[in-house]
Amino acid sequence: MYNRVCGACHAGQLPNAPKRGDQAAWKPRLAQGMDTLVQHVTQGFKAMPPRGLCMDCSTEDYHAVIQLMVSEPGP
Ligand code: HEC
C-alpha cells in the first residue's frame, strides 16, 4: 500500500511531505498522537490529499502504513 499510494509523495519528492524513515520530520507530527495522524490522512491535511488518494484503504491500513513510514527508511 505504501508503494502503491503513499510512496508517490512520501519518498522525498515533495519537500513538505514528511519522508519515510525521517525521524526528525515525523517526531513533531507523531506528538499529535496516532489517532490524529490517521484522522488527518482520512480527511486530508494542508497539502496532504484526503485518504492519501487511496479510496480502498481502511483505518487499520493507515495505522499500519504510518507506523512503517515513521519507523523504517525505504523507497
Ligand atoms: C499527493 C501527495 C501525497 C500522497 C499520495 C500522500 N501524502 Fe501524506 N502528506 C503529503 C503532504 C504534502 C504532507 C504534509 C502536509 C503539511 O503538513 O503541510 C503529508 C502529510 C502526511 C502525514 C502527517 C499529517 C500531520 O498531521 O502532520 C501523514 C501521517 C501522512 N501524510 C500519511 C500518508 C499516508 C498514510 C499516505 C498513503 C495512504 C499518504 N500520506 C499519501 C502528501 C501526500
Side-chain angles (χ1 to χ4, degrees):
M1 176 184 148
Y2 168 83
N3 288 322
R4 182 162 58 94
V5 279
C6 322
C9 296
H10 284 276
Q13 303 91 327
L14 292 184
N16 52 347
K19 198 176 169 207
R20 177 171 166 187
D22 185 341
Q23 307 286 341
W26 281 106
K27 202 161 183 272
R29 299 185 188 263
L30 270 178
Q32 306 175 98
M34 187 52 113
D35 289 345
T36 303
L37 290 179
V38 170
Q39 197 185 345
H40 283 168
V41 174
T42 310
Q43 297 175 354
F45 179 70
K46 299 189 214 170
M48 164 83 198
R51 308 204 70 88
L53 299 179
C54 180
M55 298 308 149
D56 58 352
C57 292
S58 67
T59 302
E60 290 72 36
D61 291 335
Y62 291 137
H63 261 273
V65 87
I66 292 171
Q67 205 71 61
L68 174 87
M69 283 164 58
V70 165
S71 49
E72 294 171 30

